[in-house]
Amino acid sequence: MSDWLKICPLEDIPRLGAKVVKDTGKGDIAVFRNAEDELFAVNDKCPHKGGPLSQGIVFDRRVACPLHGMTVHLDSGRAQAPDEGCTHKYRVRVDKGVVFLNLGQ
């Protein structure tokens, strides 16, 4: 069985935005798209107070939590210093314009 889950066409994820994938068995996962069309996927919970990262402001390869402004690096899931904490990251890829998420990590 493949660990890759078909999510949506790339166009369904707005630049500087996110799409939430629910019912994954691993909690809600936010798939982000930055201005350079890079994709990232992390648990949709800020490591600080559990805020929905998918509703945060995306910039570069980071997202700012909408609750308290904690910045999380999307490529690692780690909070930006001096804050501490981490949210789980997942592999994501695009194949023929379709986004896939790997849940096997």
Side-chain angles (χ1 to χ4, degrees):
M1 182 173 150
S2 174
D3 291 328
W4 290 98
L5 177 66
K6 183 178 178 179
I7 302 301
C8 64
L10 177 61
E11 299 81 35
D12 286 1
I13 303 173
R15 281 194 176 103
L16 301 177
K19 178 172 183 69
V20 178
V21 182
K22 297 184 177 285
D23 301 322
T24 65
K26 299 184 182 244
D28 291 350
I29 297 173
V31 180
F32 293 89
R33 181 178 178 190
N34 70 6
E36 289 77 35
D37 290 331
E38 294 175 298
L39 295 177
F40 307 92
V42 297
N43 282 344
D44 193 23
K45 283 182 119 178
C46 175
H48 178 226
K49 295 229 177 189
L53 291 175
S54 59
Q55 295 178 25
I57 297 171
V58 178
F59 59 102
D60 298 326
R61 293 177 149 196
R62 295 172 282 180
V63 63
C65 176
L67 295 183
H68 298 96
M70 175 187 251
T71 298
V72 174
H73 290 271
L74 293 170
D75 53 359
S76 68
R78 296 190 184 278
Q80 181 170 305
D83 291 320
E84 296 179 354
C86 188
T87 189
H88 190 80
K89 71 179 187 99
Y90 299 87
R91 290 187 296 163
V92 63
R93 67 178 170 90
V94 178
D95 185 17
K96 297 178 184 167
V98 177
V99 178
F100 291 85
L101 176 65
N102 189 305
L103 299 175
Q105 308 179 46

